Amino acid sequence: MNRCLELARLGLGKTYPNPMVGSVIVHQDKIIGEGWHVKAGCPHAEVNAVDSVQDKTLLKASTIYVNLEPCAHFGKTPPCAQLIINHEIPRVVIGCVDPFSKVSGKGIEMLRNAGVEVKVDVLKEACEESHKRFFTFHVKHRPYIILKWAESKDGFIAPKDQEPGKPLWISSAASKKLVHRWRTEEASILVGTRTVELDNPMLTARLWEGNSPLRLVIDKDLRLPDTLHVFDDSVKTLVFTEKFKDNTTYTEYLSINFNILQKEVMDALYQRNIHSVIIEGGKQTLQSFIDIGLWDEARVFIGSELLSDGLAAPQLTSSKKVIDSVSSDQLMIHYK
């Protein structure tokens, strides 16, 4: 099952809206096949694992491991539970049950009804962690929310008087590269109006190989000029506003109720099948989600420099946190 999880992670940032799934086939304590879900619309992990087995006659005396319940419905691909039955694989070990309504329990039921031995909840906690985006989306009907910011050693995220277009880099170059890797792993990235005005960010993953996320911009009064990087047509952008403006090829303008801004944003992402979002600021945007408890994880870089004065970092409380280091920075990961 640990190998399933390793394989599943190879699909991070590439399988949306599907989960990251890995599968391993074992015959007489030897791995004879393995696979993972590479991309939405492509074969599932179980299919790739079965296809990788050179001697298919061994399947009738093998065990297939998978970190998520095999599907039992026809989507873009046939049901994996039926594939297992067709190949007469006698035993299935499953990491955790799929909460998706079209699958939940149905794959296990189909297998057992066909006489397949099924064991469930092996390394359950680790498997559920690997599916945190997918599970949050289907259980809570919203994306998995990651907050991210960098603050100085004395707790400021920006100097008192910042010149527009000239952001102060608090974290190291290594941390910046890590952030770009994170962007390739998530479906969308959100910033507020003030951050776009002051920093003119690109919000792309240009420092890491992979897909750049959908850019989300909060611009209540449509005061941001089209000359800014977020409107450069390099990546799809969704703007949340109270005004009306015609969409362009790469930019969509969505009128929402700013009295319930956070809910409206999350509802819009859910309707668009967006499973995760990184909220990168600024302070007001981050704190607004913290204050109503609408977040799942916070990744906070603490730089080595002192600012002495400036814009104070967001404040949050959490029951769990992991402390690591990235170059000269300290990285704190909070879990709600």
Side-chain angles (χ1 to χ4, degrees):
M1 192 58 71
N2 277 319
R3 179 58 179 160
C4 288
L5 292 169
E6 289 177 357
L7 292 167
R9 281 191 286 270
L10 296 174
L12 185 57
K14 304 168 186 174
T15 65
Y16 296 123
N18 295 342
M20 299 182 298
V21 182
S23 182
V24 171
I25 300 174
V26 175
H27 177 264
Q28 295 183 354
D29 295 326
K30 179 182 177 181
I31 292 177
I32 61 170
E34 58 182 33
W36 69 93
H37 184 41
V38 177
K39 185 179 180 180
C42 293
H44 289 185
E46 298 94 320
V47 177
N48 290 330
V50 168
D51 286 347
S52 74
V53 176
Q54 292 184 352
D55 184 354
K56 298 293 193 294
T57 64
L58 298 179
L59 292 172
K60 295 181 180 181
S62 298
T63 298
I64 184 168
Y65 293 77
V66 61
N67 66 317
L68 184 67
E69 176 183 4
C71 60
H73 67 293
F74 281 88
K76 291 183 179 179
T77 59
C80 292
Q82 189 61 56
L83 171 81
I84 293 168
I85 295 167
N86 291 346
H87 283 280
E88 300 181 43
I89 301 174
R91 188 167 185 262
V92 180
V93 178
I94 297 169
C96 56
V97 176
D98 190 336
F100 182 38
S101 60
K102 290 185 178 180
V103 180
S104 187
K106 298 180 178 68
I108 295 170
E109 181 182 15
M110 179 184 290
L111 290 166
R112 285 177 172 160
N113 287 343
V116 177
E117 179 188 347
V118 180
K119 185 173 183 179
V120 186
D121 292 342
V122 173
L123 294 185
K124 179 182 178 182
E125 187 173 336
C127 290
E128 289 181 341
E129 168 67 17
S130 74
H131 300 303
K132 60 188 178 184
R133 297 163 181 84
F134 185 74
F135 281 17
T136 297
F137 184 84
H138 287 288
V139 174
K140 298 184 178 181
H141 298 155
R142 65 162 174 82
Y144 186 82
I145 302 170
I146 301 170
L147 310 179
K148 177 256 141 185
W149 71 86
E151 61 183 72
S152 63
K153 197 171 183 179
D154 50 355
F156 298 100
I157 63 170
K160 189 173 183 179
D161 298 308
Q162 180 180 332
E163 185 178 345
K166 295 185 178 181
L168 172 69
W169 292 106
I170 293 174
S171 56
S172 65
S175 294
K176 183 178 180 181
K177 191 172 184 178
L178 176 58
V179 168
H180 283 231
R181 191 192 85 182
W182 288 344
R183 289 176 180 176
T184 68
E185 298 170 352
E186 310 306 333
S188 63
I189 180 170
L190 173 70
V191 293
T193 310
R194 189 64 175 154
T195 294
V196 178
E197 284 182 324
L198 290 176
D199 297 350
N200 190 17
M202 295 183 185
L203 304 181
T204 61
R206 58 198 178 277
L207 299 182
W208 196 268
E209 184 178 351
N211 297 323
S212 290
L214 171 68
R215 298 187 291 206
L216 309 172
V217 177
I218 298 172
D219 187 10
K220 181 178 180 180
D221 299 314
L222 290 181
R223 72 186 198 214
L224 296 173
D226 293 340
T227 54
L228 294 172
H229 290 315
V230 292
F231 304 115
D232 63 7
D233 289 349
S234 64
V235 181
K236 291 280 188 180
T237 302
L238 175 60
V239 179
F240 297 101
T241 180
E242 277 192 340
K243 308 293 184 180
F244 173 81
K245 188 172 182 178
D246 288 329
N247 298 333
T248 68
T249 303
Y250 280 87
T251 305
E252 177 186 356
Y253 296 88
L254 181 64
S255 297
I256 63 170
N257 180 0
F258 270 65
N259 291 325
I260 49 172
L261 170 65
Q262 297 81 7
K263 182 181 184 302
E264 291 272 279
V265 169
M266 292 303 119
D267 286 349
L269 297 184
Y270 178 74
Q271 291 165 10
R272 286 164 172 74
N273 222 7
I274 302 297
H275 283 209
S276 64
V277 57
I278 302 179
I279 301 178
E280 288 205 7
K283 161 70 178 292
Q284 182 178 342
T285 301
L286 287 162
Q287 195 67 55
S288 71
F289 280 86
I290 293 170
D291 288 345
I292 63 173
L294 191 57
W295 63 282
D296 298 291
E297 182 179 332
R299 302 172 182 176
V300 183
F301 291 102
I302 301 176
S304 57
E305 302 294 326
L306 297 171
L307 289 184
S308 300
D309 195 7
L311 182 63
Q315 299 296 310
L316 60 76
T317 57
S318 64
S319 57
K320 304 177 185 177
K321 65 181 177 182
V322 178
I323 301 175
D324 202 350
S325 61
V326 180
S327 186
S328 58
D329 302 327
Q330 189 178 56
L331 172 59
M332 301 186 70
I333 303 179
H334 301 255
Y335 296 95
K336 187 180 172 186

